[in-house]
Amino acid sequence: MTSLVIPVYNGRELLKSCIESLRKHTTPPHEIIIVNNASDAATTRYIRGLRGVRVISNRANLGFGRAINQGMRAARGRYVGWINSDTVCTPEWLERMLDALQSDPAVAAVGPMTSHSAGAHVVKPKRAFAGDLKALDRYARAWSMMHDGQRREVHRLIGFFTLLKRRAIDAVGLLDERFGTGCYEDYDYCLRLRQAGFKLALAMDVFIDHREHASFGSQEDFDRQCEANKAIFVRKWCESSLEFLDQIDSELAYEPRARTRAAR
């Protein structure tokens, strides 16, 4: 079974589109876990009215990382998906992403292609779908046929729509919660997976629609959060590395002096 974890903060209509697409296009055994980060009344009512989903409710917006961690702790599946509520799934998405995940024992996580993200995920359709789900499904089916079975190893994945092996999660642990609302916790996790000897890949035959940064309210909000979390990432990985090197240099510089005094 695959556990699909969806963190939610407001955005009822976006969530509705996400859930409806999941139910329409997800055939393999799965469970849906919604983590409600103190959403507004309309979104909360919608979540309460859903059937066949598991719900975790928070009294405050705990952010992406903490919500995903709550979902991963509750997940019962052999595979775990991080699903942003501002995404829309397309035909055979899970079958194809599972195929990519199982294509190599060393692959720990896979992501899809999309029109709104960053880096290797991005393709540029000739038209915007703007809620036209029939057009989106037609495009996604054609894309899948043209790129059937294609995989691409990458050095990082964006966490908007990611499928992981449970054993990889068990090996490296949960997301680092110091990144708050979101941004850079996915890069951090990818780096930890690669340090543990795992690979990351794109399922190039899967196209998912993504409303980039919709949960942040505005591009300015996202940019501020991104800059703040980039600083956290740099402190964690770069400054700690420099401190490590400085300590080694200090020890190496001290030992010869100690031996010289002993010789005298």
Side-chain angles (χ1 to χ4, degrees), residues 1-5 22 26-33 52 54 71 74-83 93-99 101-102 110 161-166 169:
M1 183 173 67
T2 301
S3 299
L4 306 176
V5 181
L22 280 172
T26 311
T27 303
H30 66 281
E31 63 174 352
I32 297 175
I33 303 171
R54 300 169 62 196
R76 299 176 295 207
R78 183 179 178 185
Y79 307 98
V80 178
W82 305 342
I83 310 293
W93 75 271
L94 183 53
E95 292 94 330
R96 291 179 178 277
M97 288 187 71
L98 285 171
D99 284 346
L101 199 58
Q102 296 164 349
V110 298
F161 203 100
T162 307
L163 190 66
L164 303 101
K165 291 175 179 173
R166 165 66 72 178
I169 297 171

Side-chain angles (χ1 to χ4, degrees), residues 228-244:
N229 282 1
K230 181 178 181 179
I232 294 172
F233 184 92
V234 169
R235 283 197 300 271
K236 177 176 180 178
W237 291 106
C238 301
E239 293 183 7
S240 61
S241 298
L242 291 174
E243 290 172 2
F244 171 75

Side-chain angles (χ1 to χ4, degrees), residues 179-194:
F179 292 98
T181 305
C183 295
Y184 277 87
E185 69 284 286
D186 47 359
Y187 292 173
D188 175 83
Y189 204 78
C190 289
L191 183 52
R192 289 159 56 195
L193 286 169
R194 294 184 65 199

